[in-house]
Amino acid sequence: MSDALSVQDLSVAFHTRAGVVHALDRVSFTVGAGETLALVGESGSGKSVTAYAIMGLLEAAGQVTSGRALLGETDLLAASPASLARIRGKRVAMIFQNPRTALNPIRPVGTQIADVMRRHGGATWFNARARAIEALRAVGIPDPARRTRAYPFELSGGMCQRVMIAIAMAARPDLLIADEPTTGLDVTTQAVVMDLIAEMAAQTGMATILITHDLALAAERARRIAVMHAGHVVEVAETATLLARPMHPYSARLIAATPTAAGTLEELQSVPGALPDLRGAAIPACRYAARCDRRQADCGETLHPHEAEPGHSIACHHPLGVAA
Amino acid sequence: MTPLLELDAVSKRFPLGRRRLFAKALPPEVHAVSEVSLTVHAGETVGLVGESGCGKSTLVRLITRLLDTTEGTIWFDRREISGVPARFFARDTNRADIQMVFQDAGESINPRFTAADAIADPLRKLLGLRGAALQARVEEAATQCGLPLALLGRYPHQLSGGQRARVGIARAIGTHPRLLVLDEPTAALDVSVQVTVLKLLQQLKAELGLSYIFVSHDLNVVRLLCDRVVVMYLGRVVESGPAQQVFDAPRHPYTKSLIAAVPRLEGARPEAPRLVGDPRSPIDPDPNACRFHGRCPVGFDRCGTAMPALREVAPGHLAACHLND
Ligand SMILES: Nc1ncnc2c1ncn2[C@@H]1O[C@H](COP(=O)(O)OP(=O)(O)OP(=O)(O)O)[C@@H](O)[C@H]1O
Ligand SMILES: Nc1ncnc2c1ncn2[C@@H]1O[C@H](COP(=O)(O)OP(=O)(O)OP(=O)(O)O)[C@@H](O)[C@H]1O
Ligand code: SF4
Ligand code: SF4
Ligand SMILES: [Mg+2]
Ligand SMILES: [Mg+2]
């Protein structure tokens, strides 16, 4: 499978009054054409920052300090603002984590979709409205023709989310970054929306980065899963492998925290400890070390992600399922 | 046991577009909430689930008195609160008793407030706390929600999504309310924090006898936390009952579709069922048809000509479907 996107050694730092926050450190992963890669990890692990960096949408305080993000031949991180603006929306589209604030509050949603359709989706003045209605219907909004005139505040949270999805898909991008695309949607609508993304991927070869907290959703929808922790990618593997035989202690903890259709609240365990402070120079090589129950003396040594087995890469000195 | 909260046939309709002064016809209306009746007892956790756009947030905004009802009555602790116009409820005696955690913590927190300001705001306004007492209560609430005190000086944009959600919950529990209405409080949280928050909610409930209305799309979470569950579809309650019973033996076709669509760690079911067809419009819906008709996998003729009533199908278990007749 050819890589639609290859992210290599992406590092991002934020300059704040309280010091430099090293939010991402040498993040690497690839997504194949037509493939869905799930990016999972605790809140604050750097999933959205990764997405924003790829999209060239980091806020002013954030700076890419190393790395490349190759979309085909183009390095998105080196592209000029003008060419990036052309790529964005057309070749790369993003569904934002916070739908309501990403929509323009004073323009009807139908107009906003029609705008994108005209700019990037090949629609004309004459058919843009009809295509906007079609896009709303595809994401399951009832009475789409009348709803095109609604303002974002008149829609439920989930409906705004669906409008955002309709906008992102309108341009038929090569790469879709979906940051919690179905958060706020009920599971039946979620299934419809995820089917839509999967259909589009199958039809056009669109690559998808699915950012989610929901390991069960990743289990059903992604071919591979990349686990992030404190700005590091700690494990990447095929979905079934990662869920059945996680090798990084952190991945195993995340799985143990996921509610299922059986079991009690008492049985669920949160990941102990908190993300480390990512300011300053004294960040440990393994950013999970302070929380890890497998830590040993050599865990302070330099750590590079390596392939533990074909297609299964991991950044840990003492992985699970491997004799210590 | 007297109910803490009671709703009797509560409806909310939003007119679409501006009302014209001398127009003969009424403007079309979005029927966001239709004839909803429910009770919440002290110490009880009621889960509210349903399709996105079915009126859950509107219903909780009616309960927390941010919105006025179009019809129906709401009692809190045997006092009718639906008579108090929403714009006066901010100064109402029951205001601090009912607190809300919003769907989107990032959005509901003023961007110019630090985390500490956000948590302090209702304490100042509703309880009149100042100085050291205020500071202590802010820190108590933050600690209870697992929010490191070092983050209290940060602004929302400097916090991750999950950290903002914790601020939202800390803000709500600060006033020591009796009813906490949580609108998808864990949607933005990762599973690890979610476990902590769910355990925290359970602990607060045990310690303080709090009642919750818990809106969520995560049925696994609803099952873990809730005593009873209420299922809505296009503004109406279609099923309600003891949570475990509803999940084990749902009696409404919509509830069945919902449960079947919950993603599983083991991967997708081989023939996962899908709800096909367009949802009916919430704009002036046909009063003489089941609102699920057209998408219902088992619908039949009568579903298009008569609205099914909500009936008891087992003790404490209600469902609105002609198939249960
Ligand atoms: N403007 C900023 N200034 C300082 N730190 C920031 C800024 N923006 C993000 N960060 C930090 O970068 C880290 C990664 O944040 P990010 O939003 O990518 O997390 P996430 O994995 O998307 O979390 P969530 O699941 O909650 O959305 C966090 O520690 C966050 O505090
Ligand atoms: N201010 C408003 N004006 C017009 N219509 C509105 C308004 N607020 C809500 N609605 C409509 O009322 C219906 C119910 O919306 P509500 O936000 O209650 O849904 P919800 O069940 O909370 O959905 P979600 O799960 O997506 O949050 C929707 O059709 C919505 O478009
Ligand atoms: S490197 Fe050591 S501390 Fe880090 S995750 Fe592996 S075992 Fe734990
Ligand atoms: S009344 Fe008819 S359409 Fe409605 S849920 Fe029952 S079978 Fe389905
Ligand atoms: Mg994020
Ligand atoms: Mg809502």
Side-chain angles (χ1 to χ4, degrees):
Chain A
M1 197 185 300
S2 64
D3 290 340
L5 176 77
S6 169
V7 175
Q8 299 159 7
D9 287 326
L10 170 62
S11 302
V12 169
F14 286 95
H15 298 269
T16 71
R17 259 178 294 169
V20 179
V21 178
H22 298 276
L24 296 187
D25 179 41
R26 288 165 295 142
V27 163
S28 302
F29 58 84
T30 60
V31 199
E35 187 193 36
T36 297
L37 171 82
L39 213 52
V40 305
E42 256 164 308
S43 179
S45 58
K47 306 181 296 296
S48 295
V49 170
T50 303
Y52 288 139
I54 296 170
M55 294 289 293
L57 292 174
L58 283 174
E59 51 183 297
Q63 201 189 336
V64 174
T65 55
S66 78
R68 304 196 293 170
L70 297 176
L71 179 75
E73 308 284 284
T74 321
D75 181 359
L76 297 175
L77 303 181
S80 70
S83 66
L84 204 56
R86 246 176 294 123
I87 292 167
R88 220 172 18 232
K90 175 75 187 151
R91 293 184 60 198
V92 189
M94 179 160 172
I95 299 168
F96 291 88
Q97 190 169 5
N98 190 336
R100 215 181 287 263
T101 48
L103 289 171
N104 184 339
I106 57 164
R107 276 170 85 73
V109 294
T111 316
Q112 297 192 48
I113 299 175
D115 286 348
V116 176
M117 294 262 181
R118 270 199 310 276
R119 244 183 298 137
H120 304 296
T124 63
W125 276 103
F126 300 105
N127 65 10
R129 193 181 128 81
R131 293 211 15 213
I133 293 171
E134 220 23 72
L136 285 174
R137 176 170 295 126
V139 292
I141 300 231
D143 216 345
R146 278 150 110 176
R147 286 313 176 92
T148 53
R149 284 189 286 267
Y151 291 92
F153 81 92
E154 294 177 310
L155 299 177
S156 78
M159 289 161 88
C160 285
Q161 188 71 320
R162 285 188 264 173
V163 170
M164 278 299 300
I165 293 166
I167 290 177
M169 307 281 279
R172 307 184 149 261
D174 299 334
L175 171 69
L176 175 69
I177 303 180
D179 195 352
E180 302 277 352
T182 57
T183 297
L185 296 186
D186 62 280
V187 288
T188 54
T189 309
Q190 169 171 279
V192 170
V193 164
M194 294 307 299
D195 282 355
L196 191 72
I197 293 177
E199 261 166 47
M200 183 92 133
Q203 268 174 26
T204 67
M206 175 180 80
T208 308
I209 299 177
L210 171 65
I211 298 178
T212 180
H213 288 136
D214 185 351
L215 278 175
L217 182 68
E220 292 198 348
R221 299 294 179 165
R223 201 176 71 82
R224 289 184 303 135
I225 296 180
V227 180
M228 287 190 76
H229 177 269
H232 281 158
V233 171
V234 295
E235 183 164 9
V236 185
E238 296 219 341
T239 299
T241 311
L242 191 127
L243 293 171
R245 291 188 292 108
M247 295 181 82
H248 197 283
Y250 176 65
S251 310
R253 283 292 195 168
L254 271 189
I255 295 167
T258 302
T260 59
T264 65
L265 189 50
E266 287 65 38
E267 285 162 18
L268 292 179
Q269 293 299 326
S270 57
V271 186
L275 293 176
D277 189 345
L278 298 181
R279 284 174 300 186
I283 308 172
C286 171
R287 293 181 172 188
Y288 187 61
R291 316 171 73 181
C292 183
D293 53 10
R294 293 173 67 82
R295 185 181 62 238
Q296 293 181 29
D298 62 348
C299 287
E301 289 167 20
T302 337
L303 191 57
H304 289 296
H306 57 278
E307 278 214 328
E309 52 190 44
H312 194 159
S313 92
I314 177 166
C316 173
H317 290 297
H318 306 286
L320 295 159
V322 174
Chain B
M1 201 165 42
T2 52
L4 180 67
L5 178 80
E6 195 166 2
L7 270 67
D8 183 31
V10 168
S11 299
K12 179 69 187 179
R13 296 188 291 272
F14 296 104
L16 264 191
R18 230 171 289 138
R19 196 179 294 253
R20 267 185 238 118
L21 204 49
F22 298 106
K24 278 199 207 91
L26 288 170
E29 292 178 316
V30 177
H31 291 233
V33 170
S34 304
E35 298 170 8
V36 168
S37 300
L38 59 85
T39 54
V40 180
H41 293 280
E44 192 180 36
T45 301
V46 175
L48 193 57
V49 304
E51 196 163 46
S52 124
C54 74
K56 302 177 298 296
S57 294
T58 304
L59 183 63
V60 301
R61 288 165 66 85
L62 293 169
I63 293 169
T64 51
R65 304 298 295 106
L66 293 166
L67 269 183
D68 285 321
T69 55
T70 308
E71 277 142 21
T73 346
I74 304 174
W75 287 276
F76 184 81
D77 200 11
R78 280 179 286 181
R79 175 168 168 256
E80 190 194 323
I81 56 168
S82 45
V84 186
R87 62 181 192 283
F88 293 135
F89 196 70
R91 288 183 293 278
D92 194 82
T93 49
N94 285 126
R95 179 64 186 85
D97 288 331
I98 308 176
Q99 284 292 309
M100 174 144 179
V101 178
F102 286 93
Q103 182 159 2
D104 199 321
E107 205 182 304
S108 60
I109 300 171
N110 186 329
R112 283 198 289 267
F113 276 12
T114 62
D117 295 336
I119 301 170
D121 186 47
L123 297 170
R124 230 185 250 126
K125 284 195 187 131
L126 302 177
L127 301 183
L129 292 184
R130 296 285 183 279
L134 179 65
Q135 172 87 5
R137 191 68 89 78
V138 168
E139 290 183 3
E140 174 200 67
T143 309
Q144 281 173 324
C145 293
L147 190 70
L149 298 185
L151 297 185
L152 282 179
R154 289 213 195 168
Y155 292 91
H157 75 276
Q158 297 172 319
L159 298 168
S160 78
Q163 290 164 340
R164 281 196 294 261
R166 294 200 214 203
V167 174
I169 295 172
R171 178 183 156 88
I173 62 169
T175 65
H176 297 173
R178 289 156 76 193
L179 175 67
L180 199 57
V181 180
L182 304 114
D183 194 351
E184 300 192 53
T186 62
L189 301 183
D190 61 73
V191 287
S192 178
V193 181
Q194 172 171 279
V195 172
T196 317
V197 170
L198 295 177
K199 288 185 174 179
L200 168 73
L201 291 173
Q202 203 172 45
Q203 172 205 335
L204 291 172
K205 173 174 148 175
E207 283 172 4
L208 310 169
L210 274 176
S211 302
Y212 299 129
I213 294 179
F214 188 84
V215 180
S216 178
H217 287 304
D218 191 330
L219 300 196
N220 290 330
V221 166
V222 170
R223 189 186 61 82
L224 285 176
L225 200 70
C226 298
D227 306 306
R228 274 195 308 127
V229 60
V230 173
V231 185
M232 288 178 71
Y233 186 84
L234 271 184
R236 301 187 76 89
V237 172
V238 294
E239 181 158 7
S240 73
Q244 194 66 53
Q245 190 175 326
V246 171
F247 288 129
D248 288 347
R251 297 293 297 271
H252 193 281
Y254 174 66
T255 317
K256 289 180 189 170
S257 320
L258 202 57
I259 293 169
V262 177
R264 307 180 312 162
L265 274 180
E266 306 85 76
R269 289 165 194 77
E271 27 27 284
R274 289 285 182 271
L275 277 183
V276 290
D278 282 346
R280 281 172 173 259
S281 173
I283 302 164
D284 293 337
D286 184 350
N288 294 314
C290 172
R291 289 195 185 169
F292 195 39
H293 187 47
R295 277 174 105 199
C296 178
V298 292
F300 54 108
D301 292 351
R302 198 164 127 223
C303 309
T305 55
M307 171 82 76
L310 196 58
R311 271 194 245 288
E312 192 157 61
V313 291
H317 187 168
L318 310 180
C321 171
H322 291 312
L323 287 176
N324 289 317
D325 290 353

